Amino acid sequence: MEQQLLALVAVPGRPVDLASMAGPRHLFRAVAFIQRDGDPQPQVGIDSDGDLQCRWAADGLELVVTVEERGAGYVWALDSAGDELMYAEWKPTEQPHGLWDSAGQLLRTPQELADAC
């Protein structure tokens, strides 16, 4: 996934500067914290605003992590009925591990959660 993120921000023939890597770095940290073995793989891309985004779809759940160029971001999740399960934002200076952990829990099955206890 790190290579996918780099490909989204890298322009052939031009070196990647530190400022352009803030968004990918923050998104990679968020996804690395959320994603566990056996979870569905996210789709990685750029949203309509030009921000980096990872999107998971599993058992009617839609989980989206979006990160802006400077590293601010948000997590948003909907259930199969279209009800919002989660929405939270963070600033570029934050590493909201609790938020990312909560988002990751949405990807786990009830059995996986029980086995983790």
Side-chain angles (χ1 to χ4, degrees):
M1 187 190 71
E2 190 173 17
Q3 292 300 320
Q4 290 174 312
L5 290 172
L6 184 59
L8 290 173
V9 297
V11 175
R14 189 176 80 189
V16 177
D17 63 4
L18 289 176
S20 65
M21 289 305 297
R25 234 183 0 260
H26 279 79
L27 185 60
F28 183 75
R29 286 181 189 138
V31 173
F33 200 87
I34 292 169
Q35 185 79 28
R36 298 287 178 257
D37 288 342
D39 286 348
Q41 292 296 308
Q43 297 174 339
V44 179
I46 298 175
D47 72 5
S48 61
D49 294 327
D51 298 327
L52 296 173
Q53 187 176 81
C54 282
R55 177 183 304 264
W56 290 264
D59 298 325
L61 169 77
E62 182 176 11
L63 175 65
V64 178
V65 176
T66 302
V67 176
E68 300 168 355
E69 182 178 317
R70 293 185 183 178
Y74 66 89
V75 174
W76 176 66
L78 295 176
D79 67 11
S80 60
D83 294 326
E84 188 173 84
L85 298 173
M86 171 185 283
Y87 180 84
E89 299 177 5
W90 69 86
K91 297 177 183 175
T93 57
E94 297 175 326
Q95 298 264 340
H97 294 155
L99 168 62
W100 297 338
D101 184 52
S102 295
Q105 296 302 318
L106 295 173
L107 294 172
R108 312 283 133 47
T109 66
Q111 185 60 48
E112 288 172 319
L113 291 173
D115 291 346
C117 292

